[in-house]
């Protein structure tokens, strides 16, 4: 069975500080992993995806994530937070491309 | 190239009424997914459709909910006899193919059942 756990429903960082949003998954087969961002009253926007190529994936807006099979993790990072990064972030896993399982989300607050 | 369109953006219904949510995928996309997002929760998969076919509806409640994606026109998510627990944001996503392609999400329809 597939599932995603996002540790920390709320994360606050200072502007310019490192952003680290955690995602752990469970999957019976090598999964495809995604990070999405959602701004208020909008749909989800893809940040990056892992599809069994390089384990370090670079996305838009300076975000990147590293697939660690041994830890079943796919944490999202950004070296320096910007005010515009404040949003809700969702990690998702898919085994077959039919169903995508989303985590419960992490709300990122950036403090000026 | 217009993105995924959903309408209405907001829908208010009284208990027992029907709700119809529409989703127009991106041009060239023949795969549509519907998700429900309850307050403070992540998105829950409901159904995956291709033109004229339901591929996977394992996330859809067995009663009152149905979905279609006709040859012509938008995909429709239909909720009959709505109850307060149906209040949620319903998102549609489209992709060009079946493999775990990028799914492009619409802005969602926020359903409120009074």
């Amino acid at each position: 069975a597939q599932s995603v756990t996002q540790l920390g429903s709320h994360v606050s960082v200072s502007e310019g500080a490192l952003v680290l949003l955690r995602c752990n998954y469970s999957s019976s087969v090598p999964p495809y992993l995604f990070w999405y961002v959602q701004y208020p009253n909008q749909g989800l926007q893809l940040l990056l995806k892992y599809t069994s190529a390089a384990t370090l994936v670079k996305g838009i807006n300076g975000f990147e994530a590293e697939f660690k099979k041994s830890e079943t993790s796919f944490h999202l990072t950004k070296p320096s937070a910007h005010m515009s990064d404040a949003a809700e972030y969702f990690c998702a896993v898919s085994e077959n491309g039919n169903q995508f399982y989303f985590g419960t989300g992490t709300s990122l607050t950036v403090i000026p | 190239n217009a993105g995924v369109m959903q309408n209405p953006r907001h829908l208010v219904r009284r208990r027992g009424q029907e709700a119809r949510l529409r989703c127009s995928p991106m041009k060239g996309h023949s795969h549509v997914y519907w998700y429900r997002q309850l307050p403070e929760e992540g998105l829950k998969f409901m159904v995956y459709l291709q033109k004229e076919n339901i591929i996977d509806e394992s996330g859809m409640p067995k009663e009152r909910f149905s979905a279609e994606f006709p040859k012509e026109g938008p995909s429709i998510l239909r909720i009959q006899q709505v109850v307060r627990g149906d209040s949620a944001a319903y998102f549609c996503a489209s992709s060009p193919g079946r493999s775990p392609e990028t799914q492009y999400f619409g802005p969602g329809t926020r359903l409120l059942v009074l």
Side-chain angles (χ1 to χ4, degrees):
Chain A
Q2 306 167 70
S3 68
V4 172
T5 301
Q6 289 185 243
L7 292 175
S9 57
H10 298 274
V11 171
S12 294
V13 300
S14 298
E15 189 174 16
L18 171 72
V19 176
L20 170 61
L21 304 182
R22 299 177 187 276
C23 172
N24 288 87
Y25 68 90
S26 67
S27 175
S28 56
V29 299
Y32 300 96
L33 295 158
F34 306 80
W35 274 100
Y36 286 85
V37 60
Q38 184 181 31
Y39 297 100
N41 296 315
Q42 294 187 26
L44 276 68
Q45 193 177 332
L46 181 71
L47 279 177
L48 49 80
K49 63 180 178 180
Y50 167 75
T51 56
S52 73
T55 55
L56 183 61
V57 183
K58 294 188 184 297
I60 62 171
N61 301 339
F63 284 93
E64 62 182 37
E66 186 173 7
F67 172 66
K68 290 187 177 180
K69 185 178 178 180
S70 61
E71 299 177 7
T72 60
S73 69
F74 190 58
H75 302 329
L76 181 71
T77 60
K78 181 174 180 177
S80 176
H82 193 272
M83 295 299 294
S84 61
D85 295 328
E88 190 87 14
Y89 291 80
F90 292 94
C91 182
V93 62
S94 178
E95 290 180 354
N96 58 12
N98 282 6
Q99 293 197 24
F100 283 61
Y101 292 85
F102 285 81
T104 52
T106 297
S107 176
L108 176 66
T109 300
V110 181
I111 303 166
Chain B
N1 187 11
V4 178
M5 310 283 282
Q6 288 188 252
N7 67 81
R9 293 291 306 274
H10 299 272
L11 182 61
V12 180
R13 285 286 178 267
R14 296 191 181 279
R15 281 178 296 171
Q17 291 184 319
E18 179 179 286
R20 280 185 178 237
L21 288 62
R22 295 175 187 77
C23 169
S24 296
M26 287 181 70
K27 187 177 180 181
H29 287 192
S30 59
H31 297 247
V32 165
Y33 308 77
W34 284 95
Y35 295 87
R36 175 165 61 178
Q37 184 180 33
L38 294 169
E40 307 296 321
E41 293 187 16
L43 278 72
K44 304 291 186 189
F45 168 81
M46 298 181 74
V47 62
Y48 163 43
L49 310 102
Q50 293 182 37
K51 286 282 187 182
E52 301 183 278
N53 287 304
I54 297 175
I55 306 302
D56 185 342
E57 58 180 347
S58 58
M60 193 94 99
K62 299 299 181 197
E63 298 179 349
R64 302 189 297 110
F65 285 72
S66 62
E68 63 177 12
F69 189 15
K71 186 177 181 180
E72 301 291 339
S75 175
I76 306 287
L77 179 67
R78 183 182 176 205
I79 312 173
Q80 295 177 290
Q81 299 175 333
V82 295
V83 301
R84 289 209 174 121
D86 296 332
S87 296
Y90 291 83
F91 289 95
C92 163
S94 73
S95 71
R98 174 180 175 150
S99 62
E101 299 276 350
T102 300
Q103 292 189 1
Y104 294 85
F105 282 81
T109 294
R110 278 144 185 88
L111 172 65
L112 175 63
V113 179
L114 301 177

